[in-house]
C-alpha cells in the first residue's frame, strides 16, 4: 500500500521537477490538465504555450479545428451542356 502511494507521489513529482510549464488560458476545459499542488500542468506536453503558438493544440480534447468548406454553386443548364460537350471531344 505504501509502495503504491509512493509510486503515485513520484508520478506527480515529474510535474513539479521544473520541466513542465503550467497550462495557459486556452487549455481551460481540456481533459489532459492535471492539478498538482495548486498548479495545473498538461499530461502530454512540457510547454502548453508552444502547442498553441501556431493554432489549436492537436491534442486538445475540448477544441477541434474548424474545417472551412467552400460551397460552389453549379448552374444545372451549364453543367448539362458541359457534360454533353465533354462526350463530343
Ligand atoms: S493537450 Fe493541449 S490543450 Fe490540452 S492541456 Fe495539453 S497543451 Fe493544453
Amino acid at each position: 500500500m505504501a509502495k503504491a502511494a509512493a509510486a503515485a507521489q513520484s508520478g506527480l513529482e515529474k510535474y513539479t521537477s521544473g520541466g513542465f510549464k503550467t497550462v495557459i488560458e486556452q487549455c481551460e476545459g481540456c481533459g489532459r490538465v492535471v492539478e498538482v499542488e495548486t498548479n495545473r500542468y498538461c499530461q502530454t506536453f512540457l510547454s502548453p504555450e508552444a502547442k498553441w503558438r501556431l493554432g489549436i493544440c492537436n491534442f486538445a480534447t475540448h477544441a477541434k479545428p474548424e474545417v472551412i468548406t467552400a460551397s460552389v454553386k453549379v448552374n444545372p443548364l451549364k453543367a448539362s451542356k458541359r457534360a454533353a460537350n465533354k462526350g463530343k471531344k
Side-chain angles (χ1 to χ4, degrees), residues 23 26-27 30 32-33 42 44-45 48 51-52 57 59-60 62:
V23 294
Q26 287 96 326
C27 296
C30 182
R32 298 182 199 277
V33 174
C42 174
T44 312
F45 298 112
K51 290 304 295 180
W52 284 91
C57 170
F59 271 65
H62 65 303

Side-chain angles (χ1 to χ4, degrees), residues 2-3 10 14-15 18 22 28 35-36 38 43 45 75 77 80 84-85:
K3 274 187 178 179
S10 66
K14 72 178 182 182
Y15 298 109
T22 55
E28 286 298 322
E35 191 165 340
V36 181
T38 69
Q43 285 179 335
F45 298 112
N75 184 335
L77 291 175
S80 68
N85 287 338

Side-chain angles (χ1 to χ4, degrees), residues 14-85:
K14 72 178 182 182
Y15 298 109
T16 55
S17 63
F20 282 79
K21 294 183 180 164
T22 55
V23 294
I24 58 174
E25 195 175 300
Q26 287 96 326
C27 296
E28 286 298 322
C30 182
R32 298 182 199 277
V33 174
V34 181
E35 191 165 340
V36 181
E37 296 173 4
T38 69
N39 288 324
R40 304 172 80 213
Y41 301 95
C42 174
Q43 285 179 335
T44 312
F45 298 112
L46 294 174
S47 179
E49 185 183 356
K51 290 304 295 180
W52 284 91
R53 199 170 293 146
L54 297 176
I56 292 177
C57 170
N58 60 333
F59 271 65
T61 60
H62 65 303
K64 297 287 176 211
E66 185 178 317
V67 178
I68 299 169
T69 55
S71 62
V72 179
K73 288 187 178 179
V74 177
N75 184 335
L77 291 175
K78 287 183 177 180
S80 68
K81 281 183 184 176
R82 222 176 284 131
N85 287 338

